[in-house]
Amino acid sequence: MGKKMFVLIVVLMSISLIGIIAVQVYWINNAVESKKEQFKNDVQKSLGRISEKINKNEEYILEKKIENFIENTGLANNAQIRNYLFQEIDTTTKERITFGATFLEENFKLPTDFLNNDSIIYKRVSGKKDFFSTKLIKGVDNEPSVYDESRFSTTKRFYNIEKTFFSNVYGDIRSRKPINQRISNSELKTIIEEELEKRNIYLNFKYGVYSNDGLATKLKSGYYTINKKESYPYPLFFNSENEVDYILYITFPSKNDHILSEISNILLLSLFFIFIIIIAFSSSLYQLTRQKKISEIKTDFINNMTHEFKTPIATINLALDSIKNPKIIDDKEKVLRYVKMIRDENKRMHSQVENVLRISRLEKNQIDISKETIDMHDIIEDAITHISLLIDDRNGSVETHFKSVVAELPGNEFHLTNVVVNMLENALKYSEGAPKIDVYTESVGKFFILKIKDEGIGMSKAVQKNVFDKFYREQKGNIHDVKGHGLGLAYVKEIVEKHHGTVFVESEKGKGSIFTVKLPLI
């Protein structure tokens, strides 16, 4: 995959992820706003019922009080009678219809306790309705003979007329009476709770009643102050001109928690899916990056392997051409020298192939690692012997510092020897000039610790993170100032982990490296 294509895919995936998350956030925000609006409507409806209920209760109590006063008083302070008569005659049918009405208006002067030492007149209206109808019925020879008459009367109170008078009285009383005498704090709180519960609102609330001028009244919960941004207002009382006189404000401190709790299931589900999308995106991006990295590493490996095979193949070809030369084929000594050269180069190629196959079989668990009790100090000495010629060739040195009291542990002699050899060869390859290598051992608790220290070129933090990865090399492509395929340390890690141990590196650029192996003792 090309770099431009990789960047394009990452950008498109990022845009898609951001778009999906943005849509989810937008939907969640809309759901929250919708719940807020629904909550506001429920509160407003409840406040409307509260205002209506309080006013009706007040009107009912006053009406009952006046009725009781009138019944106990008996006689009105003064009265007025009004008579009305209406008559209609139909000349065609000879029918006459008469309607009469008598109204009795009784005026009762209400006592001063109704309105703070001020007097109010209340009217009671009753009356009688009379209906009279006559019709002339003609007899023989068209002579009048019989009158058909019908009449009825009704007596009743005219509550609709009284209601008009009462509305005026009620308006005067409510506009003059102090609000704290019209309803108490406990009554107001009880009514608010009842109406809110009818709308399934069981939240703690604070309330306060304020005049139309913004002045506070005694009707409030604790030290309530208006917060117009968070409060819900509603007209509570009106004056005699039907204008707003007092306003009820109510606030819910835990409103936001309540709204979120109502959509908590959907909200958590949305957040869960957003999290899944982010995880999937991160995993996809990681796999893309990893595959790109593996592709680059494999390309480097193939280039390095090709270069490593070129030299022995070219040497073998030259040796074969030389043997076929008539002047040399009869020279037994030279033929044997060329045959040895072919064998050595063939052995070198076989060793390279074996390294690749070994790490492949190890990953697939196809290598049998039988364990027995071994002495790690003996393993280290044997490994040093393997590379002694290479050390001597570069005028280097390997110093051992065996401080471990116990060196016996369960392991595979062959593979652990290869582990130490690979680590020593790595220290040798990345040392400039005469290599100086120190090998330390110690036992800490139930573990055997092996440290191999060099004074080579060292490595950066980024390289340290990947140094144990298969095929990884700091130098890329066809650069071969340091030979290798990036398999040695990967093999070390696999073998150490098969022995239930750990391996890690500490290094600083230009100051060398320390490779540490930690293996469990018997």
Side-chain angles (χ1 to χ4, degrees):
M1 183 189 299
K3 185 176 180 180
K4 290 184 178 179
M5 180 59 69
F6 176 77
V7 172
L8 178 62
I9 291 173
V10 172
V11 169
L12 291 176
M13 289 176 64
S14 301
I15 292 172
S16 301
L17 176 64
I18 293 170
I20 292 171
I21 293 176
V23 169
Q24 286 290 324
V25 171
Y26 175 77
W27 181 87
I28 291 171
N29 184 63
N30 274 0
V32 171
E33 291 300 322
S34 176
K35 282 293 180 183
K36 283 183 178 180
E37 192 64 30
Q38 182 182 342
F39 181 80
K40 180 181 177 181
N41 290 338
D42 289 341
V43 171
Q44 290 293 336
K45 289 177 182 178
S46 298
L47 291 175
R49 286 287 301 136
I50 290 166
S51 177
E52 182 182 355
K53 191 173 184 178
I54 289 173
N55 281 279
K56 282 188 175 181
N57 285 347
E58 185 183 37
E59 187 176 339
Y60 175 78
I61 291 170
L62 181 61
E63 191 173 356
K64 284 296 179 185
K65 189 175 180 181
I66 292 173
E67 285 289 337
N68 292 334
F69 169 75
I70 292 173
E71 287 180 8
N72 293 331
T73 302
L75 297 175
N77 295 94
N78 56 70
Q80 184 179 3
I81 296 177
R82 296 182 182 181
N83 294 311
Y84 300 92
L85 181 66
F86 301 94
Q87 192 174 73
E88 180 182 334
I89 299 175
D90 190 340
T91 57
T92 305
T93 61
K94 306 300 181 181
E95 184 178 10
R96 183 174 62 188
I97 300 172
T98 304
F99 175 78
T102 302
F103 294 95
L104 174 62
E105 292 182 6
E106 299 174 280
N107 297 320
F108 293 89
K109 187 176 181 180
L110 301 180
T112 56
D113 62 338
F114 271 83
L115 192 60
N116 295 337
N117 299 322
D118 200 357
S119 60
I120 293 179
I121 301 300
Y122 178 79
K123 293 182 181 291
R124 183 173 68 179
V125 182
S126 58
K128 180 183 178 184
K129 291 181 180 180
D130 297 305
F131 178 83
F132 179 73
S133 173
T134 60
K135 186 176 182 181
L136 180 64
I137 302 175
K138 294 182 179 181
V140 182
D141 298 328
N142 210 23
E143 291 292 329
S145 60
V146 182
Y147 284 95
D148 182 19
E149 296 183 357
S150 62
R151 68 171 64 211
F152 63 84
S153 301
T154 59
T155 303
K156 67 173 184 176
R157 287 208 24 207
F158 294 94
Y159 290 102
N160 56 337
I161 299 176
E162 289 180 8
K163 195 72 176 176
T164 304
F165 291 129
F166 177 75
S167 296
N168 295 330
V169 172
Y170 176 61
D172 287 337
I173 291 176
R174 71 183 180 183
S175 62
R176 300 182 192 180
K177 199 172 184 180
I179 188 171
N180 57 304
Q181 293 181 14
R182 297 171 69 176
I183 186 171
S184 66
N185 240 333
S186 59
E187 289 174 334
L188 178 58
K189 184 178 180 182
T190 301
I191 293 173
I192 292 174
E193 287 176 347
E194 289 175 355
E195 292 303 322
L196 289 177
E197 287 176 2
K198 288 179 182 179
R199 299 279 176 183
N200 296 319
I201 300 175
Y202 299 93
L203 301 179
N204 293 328
F205 61 87
K206 294 181 179 181
Y207 67 91
V209 178
Y210 287 75
S211 69
N212 194 33
D213 298 329
L215 299 176
T217 68
K218 294 181 179 180
L219 294 177
K220 59 182 178 179
S221 54
Y223 297 97
Y224 178 83
T225 54
I226 298 178
N227 182 355
K228 292 189 176 181
K229 186 177 180 181
E230 296 294 332
S231 298
Y232 297 93
Y234 200 88
L236 184 62
F237 290 123
F238 296 85
N239 58 24
S240 57
E241 297 178 359
N242 208 31
E243 295 175 346
V244 177
D245 205 8
Y246 291 96
I247 301 173
L248 171 64
Y249 290 90
I250 187 168
T251 305
F252 300 90
S254 57
K255 176 187 69 174
N256 292 333
D257 295 338
H258 168 71
I259 292 173
L260 290 177
S261 67
E262 285 194 337
I263 61 170
S264 58
N265 292 334
I266 298 177
L267 181 62
L268 290 174
L269 194 61
S270 296
L271 292 176
F272 173 74
F273 284 127
I274 289 175
F275 177 74
I276 292 296
I277 290 170
I278 292 174
I279 292 296
F281 172 79
S282 301
S283 299
S284 300
L285 188 60
Y286 171 76
Q287 291 298 328
L288 277 173
T289 307
R290 187 169 178 270
Q291 290 300 323
K292 185 175 182 294
K293 183 179 177 182
I294 289 174
S295 176
E296 291 174 352
I297 290 173
K298 285 186 176 179
T299 301
D300 290 340
F301 169 75
I302 292 170
N303 291 337
N304 292 330
M305 182 65 78
T306 303
H307 186 276
E308 290 292 330
F309 281 168
K310 275 183 180 179
T311 302
I313 290 173
T315 303
I316 291 171
N317 285 334
L318 286 172
L320 290 173
D321 290 341
S322 298
I323 291 173
K324 287 190 288 184
N325 191 321
K327 295 180 180 179
I328 294 177
I329 197 168
D330 294 329
D331 190 338
K332 188 176 181 181
E333 184 180 346
K334 287 185 178 181
V335 169
L336 290 175
R337 184 161 64 87
Y338 285 127
V339 168
K340 184 178 181 299
M341 188 182 297
I342 293 171
R343 184 183 295 111
D344 289 342
E345 293 301 328
N346 183 64
K347 190 175 181 181
R348 179 181 169 188
M349 286 193 295
H350 181 268
S351 176
Q352 300 289 357
V353 173
E354 188 61 32
N355 281 336
V356 178
L357 293 176
R358 186 188 300 157
I359 195 72
S360 176
R361 288 197 300 268
L362 193 61
E363 284 187 339
K364 296 178 181 178
N365 293 319
Q366 294 178 348
I367 292 182
D368 181 26
I369 301 180
S370 57
K371 296 178 183 178
E372 58 185 0
T373 302
I374 58 174
D375 189 310
M376 277 303 296
H377 287 162
D378 293 341
I379 295 292
I380 295 168
E381 294 285 0
D382 188 29
I384 292 173
T385 303
H386 276 74
I387 66 160
S388 59
L389 292 177
L390 296 174
I391 295 291
D392 294 338
D393 186 55
R394 294 181 57 183
N395 299 318
S397 64
V398 178
E399 299 291 336
T400 57
H401 309 273
F402 294 159
K403 296 181 180 180
S404 178
V405 178
V406 181
E408 292 185 342
L409 53 82
N412 184 280
E413 182 178 353
F414 173 75
H415 288 293
L416 287 178
T417 301
N418 285 338
V419 164
V420 179
V421 168
N422 282 343
M423 293 171 68
L424 290 171
E425 285 182 344
N426 192 75
L428 181 64
K429 284 192 294 184
Y430 291 96
S431 292
E432 296 177 336
K436 185 183 179 197
I437 302 171
D438 291 283
V439 181
Y440 299 87
T441 66
E442 58 181 328
S443 53
V444 179
K446 297 181 180 180
F447 293 93
F448 177 85
I449 309 296
L450 165 64
K451 294 184 179 181
I452 298 179
K453 178 182 177 184
D454 65 64
E455 297 180 358
I457 61 176
M459 62 187 83
S460 64
K461 295 290 184 183
V463 175
Q464 291 176 47
K465 292 179 181 179
N466 303 298
V467 73
F468 293 104
D469 293 346
K470 189 172 63 171
F471 303 127
Y472 180 80
R473 296 185 70 203
E474 185 176 5
Q475 292 172 308
K476 307 293 182 181
N478 251 342
I479 301 175
H480 295 280
D481 51 337
V482 178
K483 305 283 185 183
H485 307 107
L487 296 174
L489 291 179
Y491 172 78
V492 167
K493 183 182 178 183
E494 288 288 341
I495 293 298
V496 170
E497 289 179 350
K498 294 291 183 183
H499 284 78
H500 309 291
T502 56
V503 60
F504 58 91
V505 63
E506 300 169 87
S507 183
E508 188 175 346
K509 199 76 172 173
K511 293 187 178 181
S513 305
I514 301 175
F515 283 85
T516 303
V517 174
K518 185 177 180 181
L519 294 170
L521 293 166
I522 295 177

